[in-house]
Structures are given as C-alpha cells and as structure tokens.
Amino acid sequence: MSKIDPTARVADGAVIGEGTEVGPYCIIGPNVVIGANCKLIGHVTVIGHTSLGDSCVISPFVVLGGAPQDLSYKGEPTRLEIGSSCTIREGATMNVGTIKGGGLTRVGNGGYFMNNSHVGHDCMVGDNVIFATSATLGGHCEIGDAVYIGGLSAVHQFTRVGPYVMVGGVCGVRDDVIPYGLVNGQYAVLESLNLIGMKRRKFTKQRLATVRGFYQKLFHGPGTFAERLEVARPLAGEDPAIAEILDFIGKGKRPLCLPAIEK
C-alpha cells in the first residue's frame, strides 16, 4: 500500500504506486501517475500529464509537470515522462512539452538532479545523467546518457549534448557537443575528450589511444575542419566511439562546439 500524509492533496484520478510515500503538503494533480516505491519527501508538486517511474526520490519544493515557459503554450495536454530511480533535489523543475515540440519532455532512468536544476519543455534527457546545482536546459535540448553538467551551467535551446560528455561549471553551451567531449569556459569550447569518464566506462588503453588519435586528427590537424572531417570519415570502423562521434556530427543541424583555436 502507498502511504499518503494527511496534509497532502492527491486529486481524484491520480495513480500512486504500491509502496510509494507522499509526504506532508505535497500536491498531486489528477493526470499524474507515480510508480512504485517512490518517496516524495514533502512540499512536492507534481501536476500536468506527468508520469514518474519506480523508486524515485523527490525532495521538497520540486515542481514536476508545470507549464512550458513558452508563449505559444495554450494549456494543451502535453506530457512529462520521468524514468525510474531518479533523485531530484530541492527546488528542481521539469516542464511538460509543447505541441510544436512534439508534446513530450522525457527524462531517462537513474538521473541525479541537484538543487534548482531545470529541464525545459520538449527536452530529451538520457539515462544516468548528473545535473549539478542550477544546471539548466532550454527547450528542445537533447542530452545523451551519462552526461554531467556542472553547476550554474546552461544549455541553449535546441542544442544537442552527446553521451558521456562533461560540461564544466558556469558554462554557456550554445553549440552541439560531440559524444565523449569535455567542454569548459564562459561560452563553452571543446577542451578535450572526457578521458576520466571513458576510463570509468572501461575503455582499454588501446581504445583510448585510438580515439585520442582520431580526435587529434579531426580537431587539431592541418586544413579546415570540413577538410579534416572528410579525411576522418573512413576511420569510423576503427572504434565504436569514433563511429558514434562521426554519426553525431553527421546528424547535426546546428554549429558544433569546437576548440578555441577554431572559433
């Protein structure tokens, strides 16, 4: 059975999973579905057409499913879907989508969202991400698996951040970031590969050397970036990470985050 504090307000129609605890002064709207074994500590607001997976822990003053911060929104029944085993700390916010953006904001499994972080409308966020304090996504962003976004950093709307990226603190990310990239600076520039993250994901020394060699050729070799990219394309077969980076670049519609020397 779920455990609901008597001071909480759970609207008719809301679905609360088995073993879930809804703490003091929480507000749960009528179109909300909360999975099993979640814990809403207190003063949590979950509204809109929002679903929350199993085993999530939500801290006080979090608001999930609020209206998009977009002037085109007219109250349409758009959605927010959050996966399982997420931790969402004090004051974090996540908005439902907009009709023009596909109507869905999606957050994957295992995310850790520190205090006052924000996921804007129509964002697609992968699994096992970490958003540090006040990390912010504008609308329509795509964030890959295992991305770390540093404190007080912001990702511009429509920007893609590939999997296994590390974004430093106090960064403004305006351009797409390749998978495995490490970006830093007031206006983020590509500094290197996220070697620490790659080692944690069991890249062997040989794989690291192969991907680093590719990175050097692509971003620091002779000629223009476009010329180097053409030369690098045949290297996709040397390692899955190289193929992933080249595929990410090929699908891009926005500028790519490059090293400072390329700016």
Side-chain angles (χ1 to χ4, degrees):
M1 295 179 63
S2 57
K3 180 180 178 181
I4 300 174
D5 189 273
T7 63
R9 296 292 182 263
V10 179
D12 292 341
V15 177
I16 310 296
E18 184 176 355
T20 286
E21 298 180 21
V22 179
Y25 302 104
C26 291
I27 297 173
I28 311 297
N31 299 305
V32 169
V33 177
I34 297 177
N37 301 311
C38 292
K39 185 173 183 179
L40 282 60
I41 294 173
H43 292 278
V44 173
T45 299
V46 189
I47 52 179
H49 288 74
T50 297
S51 64
L52 191 64
D54 297 342
S55 303
C56 292
V57 179
I58 316 298
S59 292
F61 307 111
V62 167
V63 179
L64 304 175
Q69 296 176 95
D70 185 306
L71 295 176
S72 71
Y73 183 70
K74 305 301 180 186
E76 299 91 347
T78 53
R79 296 174 290 142
L80 167 66
E81 297 178 358
I82 301 170
S84 300
S85 301
C86 288
T87 298
I88 305 177
R89 295 297 301 271
E90 296 82 359
T93 53
M94 299 182 183
N95 296 154
V96 298
T98 62
I99 292 296
K100 65 181 182 181
L104 173 65
T105 304
R106 176 179 290 137
V107 173
N109 301 318
Y112 193 100
F113 298 87
M114 297 186 196
N115 60 299
N116 300 308
S117 55
H118 174 69
V119 176
H121 58 85
D122 304 297
C123 289
M124 297 289 140
V125 180
D127 297 336
N128 301 311
V129 300
I130 298 176
F131 284 31
T133 296
S134 297
T136 297
L137 302 183
H140 311 276
C141 292
E142 298 179 23
I143 308 297
D145 293 343
V147 167
Y148 174 88
I149 301 180
L152 301 170
S153 290
V155 181
H156 192 277
Q157 62 181 354
F158 293 102
T159 298
R160 298 180 303 148
V161 177
Y164 312 111
V165 164
M166 177 172 284
V167 177
V170 200
C171 282
V173 182
R174 302 180 293 180
D175 304 320
D176 290 354
V177 182
I178 61 165
Y180 306 98
L182 171 64
V183 298
N184 220 330
Q186 180 181 0
Y187 296 109
V189 295
L190 184 64
E191 288 193 342
S192 66
L193 292 170
N194 179 16
L195 296 176
I196 293 176
M198 295 168 78
K199 290 176 182 177
R200 288 173 177 170
R201 283 159 186 84
K202 309 303 182 184
F203 273 65
T204 64
K205 289 183 178 180
Q206 181 58 51
R207 287 195 70 193
L208 286 172
T210 299
V211 180
R212 289 178 75 177
F214 160 80
Y215 177 90
Q216 291 298 322
K217 290 176 184 177
L218 180 59
F219 291 104
H220 297 289
T224 66
F225 178 76
E227 292 169 343
R228 297 195 300 270
L229 180 60
E230 287 305 309
V231 172
R233 289 191 190 280
L235 302 177
E238 293 191 1
D239 190 275
I242 295 175
E244 191 173 4
I245 292 169
L246 289 170
D247 182 65
F248 180 91
I249 294 172
K251 292 178 178 177
K253 299 178 181 179
R254 291 175 50 82
L256 195 67
C257 187
L258 296 171
I261 194 171
E262 293 281 351
K263 293 292 185 181

